[in-house]
Amino acid sequence: MRRGPLASKFLLATFLPAFVSCAARAVEEGPGLPPAGELTVEVRYPPAGSAVTATDSTFVFGAVRGVSGGSSVSVNGVAAEVDPEGGWLAFVPLAPDSFTFVVVATAGDRRAEARRTVWVPRPLFAAAADTLPYKPDTIEPRGPLEVYAGDTLRVSVVAAPDLTVRARLGDDPTTLVPRPAGEVNRGRQVWGSEEPVEGATPAVLDRAAAAAAGSAGGPWVRYAGDLYVRLGGEVEDTLALEIVGAGDSALIVPVAPVTYLDPTVVRVAVLDDDTLGAGGTDGRVVARTGPGLGYQVLLPNGTTVATARRAGGWREIALGPGARAWVPVGEARPIRGPAPRDVVAVVRTRIVDGWSEVVLPLGEPLPFRVEQRLDPLGYTVDVYGLVSNVDWIETSIEDPLIESVRWSQPANGVFRLEVDLAGDRAWGWRSSRQGTHLVMGFRHPPAALVDRRFRSPLRGLKIVVDPGHSPEPGAVGPTGLVEADANLGIALELARILEKRGARVVLTRATPDSGLGLYERTSLAVESDGDLFVSIHNNALPDGVNPFHHHGTSVLWYHPQSEPLARAIQAELLPRTGIPDHGVWYQNLAVARMTEMPAVLVEAAFMMLPAQEARLRTPAYRRAIAEGVAAGIERFVSSENP
């Protein structure tokens, strides 16, 4: 993470006298707010002309104007939930292509109507409307490809059910087989597992059944197969699909150019996420489990790695024996030289400004991975490409945190360091390079916690409070409450409460028109030497997830050291928000990924639910949320097992 100077942006104990909400922002087609007494209905979401991501059903919400209670709303004949303040929400069926929500509001003998037209995609396995017998955007893998002889490529495509489909590389064809498949709505997969799979279709597993279904009206299927890359291929080749239909008419579809890699040549790259050289990044390259898949390890810029295959815009890198990851092609800059490798002879420890550090004197910037243990407290550091020649480990009896340091060589080319710590809670860690040396730092507990003369457990703690969003607004509620404004109101109240209880507060913004970028926020937290970080948010759902079934209060964390804080805050928030328990979630979030302190993100309520948006407008509800967060922090710092 970059450490640019941000001292001028520190907002220490800077508060507004009161939170002033932004005026409702009209997004409905046509004029803005109606004259007094005129009944109108607004559609707040989805935006006009937008493409929703659900295919069978989704939510729509907005507000009724010109009436004080007593109104009703329907959307395409489906009754909507209407709050006394006028906000309404409905969950309605969809139809593909251009689709219009017709919203009707009534109040006594008055009637108002609004229309909102969006684009709805066809289900993945629905028969295509064009003349192609397959869907080009479903072909996997994506190119260009760089492979080794002996690799196996999984090739797949969604196509009509009455076809023969082959994958071909050179003269070697592989027949792809129709496979059982259902369309997965990612939002429902994450938020609501008990709901049916969206657009699910029965699998067609044989050609007879496929022919009976017919390509025009029957569901399409996913064809898949494994193509073995044989020895002796050309230096460059093309992966292609051969699609054979009725009458044995064949269609050849080029998929991707293929380059065969020489296994005797070692390729090396240096990692750097600042591809434009403009700064503003966190200085780390995200190595993933597969092309475009989940995070596996974060590697500092300058790390040297051996590289291998390519799939589209992704490059495979070698970490250690059997350990591979994928990084963006542009963030792995090729260099000349041997594969990174080094020998370590000594491990040293030292104390620096409230941190206990372990130093590995290295000659190369090798890739490494850190795993945190909470019970017992400690860390495992695997350094790839490093071989031990360690006969010396220096520790100090004056170190209050490090209890022991041990090394092992679990695999050839993997050096493992086990660091056991004293205490019952992890307060943070950091990794850095001093030249090519690897330095691991482990944070001592805040000094304020050692002095227990004060009644408040928060006295002396420095707590970074982040009102989420701004300059971008975040979610918006049915009547136009903007999340960035609601977050700020809660955060300012939380700052007042924390300061009153003796904490020192750093705000990442204190006014509606101020704000920092994501990495600037975490840099501010680290540079100000914060003890804890809490980001305040309010939630929304992705298209297609039923908000009447999935809503509530939640707290999110990323590193294990932050989970106890998340659970403590959730336990104190729930009785104060009065809405369902939506869970404590592990989630990959930029503001939660910093390692230097426990960091969580609070999702207090759901902006899109009319009743919850109405509560978020009130000072009393914002104060209740702030009191819950403050009480959760107190619970965390006061208890060994919060």
Side-chain angles (χ1 to χ4, degrees):
M1 184 177 296
R2 295 196 180 278
R3 305 291 183 231
L6 290 170
S8 63
K9 297 182 180 179
F10 282 15
L11 304 171
L12 297 172
T14 304
F15 309 126
L16 294 179
F19 168 61
V20 180
S21 171
C22 285
R25 304 176 185 179
V27 296
E28 174 61 47
E29 298 102 334
L33 296 179
E38 180 182 345
L39 180 67
T40 63
V41 60
E42 300 174 351
V43 180
R44 190 68 58 175
Y45 184 91
S50 64
V52 301
T53 56
T55 64
D56 62 358
S57 55
T58 196
F59 50 80
V60 55
F61 58 79
V64 179
R65 305 289 188 183
V67 63
S68 179
S71 62
S72 62
V73 173
S74 66
V75 182
N76 296 353
V78 177
E81 176 187 273
V82 184
D83 184 76
E85 299 298 320
W88 57 264
L89 171 69
F91 191 73
V92 300
L94 297 172
D97 303 328
S98 181
F99 180 82
T100 300
F101 298 100
V102 180
V103 185
V104 176
T106 58
D109 59 354
R110 293 186 295 167
R111 184 181 186 276
E113 181 179 301
R115 293 173 178 263
R116 175 59 51 88
T117 300
V118 297
W119 183 261
V120 178
R122 289 179 175 269
L124 179 62
F125 296 100
D130 56 30
T131 58
L132 288 176
Y134 70 98
K135 298 188 177 182
D137 59 347
T138 66
I139 297 176
E140 295 288 346
R142 307 296 175 92
L145 302 173
E146 295 177 13
V147 301
Y148 293 102
D151 285 344
T152 299
L153 296 176
R154 171 59 58 89
V155 184
S156 67
V157 62
V158 172
D162 55 347
L163 303 173
T164 297
V165 182
R166 301 185 185 95
R168 185 178 294 276
L169 185 58
D171 295 327
D172 297 325
T174 293
T175 299
L176 307 188
V177 179
R179 304 296 301 166
E183 184 175 359
V184 176
N185 179 307
R186 181 67 172 170
R188 290 184 188 173
Q189 190 179 47
V190 172
W191 296 86
S193 58
E194 75 277 9
E195 294 185 4
V197 175
E198 181 174 358
T201 60
V204 180
L205 299 179
D206 60 76
R207 293 198 64 190
S215 61
W220 286 24
V221 295
R222 183 180 295 280
Y223 296 82
D226 292 329
L227 177 64
Y228 181 72
V229 180
R230 299 184 183 277
L231 298 173
E234 298 295 329
V235 175
E236 292 185 355
D237 207 338
T238 300
L239 174 66
L241 290 178
E242 181 182 2
I243 301 175
V244 182
D248 293 329
S249 59
L251 176 65
I252 304 299
V253 181
V255 173
V258 176
T259 300
Y260 298 95
L261 298 174
D262 185 346
T264 67
V265 176
V266 176
R267 297 167 178 81
V268 180
V270 61
L271 302 182
D272 188 349
D273 73 332
D274 188 10
T275 55
L276 299 178
T281 74
D282 66 351
R284 297 180 294 180
V285 170
V286 177
R288 298 174 180 259
T289 58
L293 297 182
Y295 284 25
Q296 182 173 350
V297 63
L298 299 171
L299 299 172
N301 287 350
T303 300
T304 304
V305 294
T307 66
R309 301 164 182 81
R310 177 178 179 176
W314 298 89
R315 173 72 67 189
E316 184 185 41
I317 64 172
L319 296 175
R324 299 289 187 268
W326 294 78
V327 300
V329 167
E331 297 181 10
R333 179 169 54 86
I335 60 174
R336 300 187 63 177
R341 190 174 179 86
D342 204 356
V343 176
V344 62
V346 64
V347 178
R348 295 191 174 94
T349 66
R350 63 192 184 196
I351 302 174
V352 179
D353 297 330
W355 292 75
S356 292
E357 294 185 338
V358 177
V359 182
L360 289 177
L362 304 180
E364 293 205 40
L366 299 174
F368 62 93
R369 180 172 187 164
V370 181
E371 291 190 4
Q372 185 179 54
R373 306 187 309 272
L374 297 185
D375 188 16
L377 189 61
Y379 294 81
T380 300
V381 184
D382 285 342
V383 185
Y384 300 104
L386 187 61
V387 177
S388 176
N389 187 30
V390 173
D391 288 328
W392 300 87
I393 297 179
E394 176 194 21
T395 58
S396 171
I397 61 172
E398 296 180 356
D399 193 313
L401 188 60
I402 294 180
E403 289 190 333
S404 67
V405 179
R406 306 179 305 280
W407 72 268
S408 62
Q409 194 91 47
N412 186 26
V414 180
F415 177 81
R416 175 167 293 171
L417 207 61
E418 301 276 0
V419 182
D420 295 331
L421 302 184
D424 53 28
R425 177 167 293 122
W427 282 97
W429 60 274
R430 65 190 180 192
S431 61
S432 62
R433 286 203 173 94
Q434 296 180 3
T436 55
H437 294 186
L438 176 60
V439 180
M440 297 298 307
F442 308 103
R443 188 174 189 173
H444 298 178
L449 295 183
V450 178
D451 189 347
R452 290 296 189 180
R453 294 174 299 168
F454 302 100
R455 178 174 299 176
S456 171
L458 302 182
R459 181 169 294 277
L461 283 182
K462 185 178 288 185
I463 301 173
V464 183
V465 177
D466 171 45
H469 299 288
S470 185
E472 49 86 25
V476 61
T479 67
L481 177 61
V482 176
E483 185 193 350
D485 299 336
N487 298 344
L488 180 61
I490 296 167
L492 294 178
E493 190 63 46
L494 174 60
R496 294 186 185 98
I497 294 171
L498 294 175
E499 279 219 323
K500 188 175 181 180
R501 299 180 187 181
R504 296 177 292 165
V505 175
V506 177
L507 280 163
T508 62
R509 68 181 175 104
T511 61
D513 57 354
S514 63
L516 301 175
L518 289 176
Y519 297 135
E520 290 178 309
R521 296 172 193 221
T522 53
S523 292
L524 171 62
V526 173
E527 291 180 3
S528 63
D529 200 27
D531 297 314
L532 296 169
F533 179 94
V534 179
S535 187
I536 302 297
H537 287 251
N538 287 280
N539 221 335
L541 290 167
D543 290 339
V545 181
N546 192 330
F548 298 109
H549 296 165
H550 306 288
H551 65 92
T553 296
S554 58
V555 184
L556 289 55
W557 59 277
Y558 184 71
H559 293 292
Q561 66 192 24
S562 302
E563 185 178 5
L565 174 60
R567 293 192 176 278
I569 291 176
Q570 180 77 343
E572 296 291 344
L573 266 178
L574 287 175
R576 292 170 170 85
T577 61
I579 57 179
D581 178 5
H582 203 248
V584 175
W585 295 71
Y586 162 87
Q587 191 168 352
N588 186 358
L589 301 166
V591 294
R593 283 199 301 266
M594 60 179 161
T595 63
E596 291 86 349
M597 66 194 73
V600 299
L601 186 147
V602 174
E603 297 279 15
F606 268 73
M607 297 285 302
M608 59 193 297
L609 269 72
Q612 294 183 28
E613 182 205 29
R615 291 182 191 177
L616 286 169
R617 286 189 179 278
T618 67
Y621 197 64
R622 295 197 297 267
R623 187 178 308 112
I625 293 170
E627 288 173 347
V629 175
I633 296 173
E634 286 186 328
R635 176 189 283 225
F636 171 74
V637 300
S638 301
S639 172
E640 293 185 4
N641 298 293

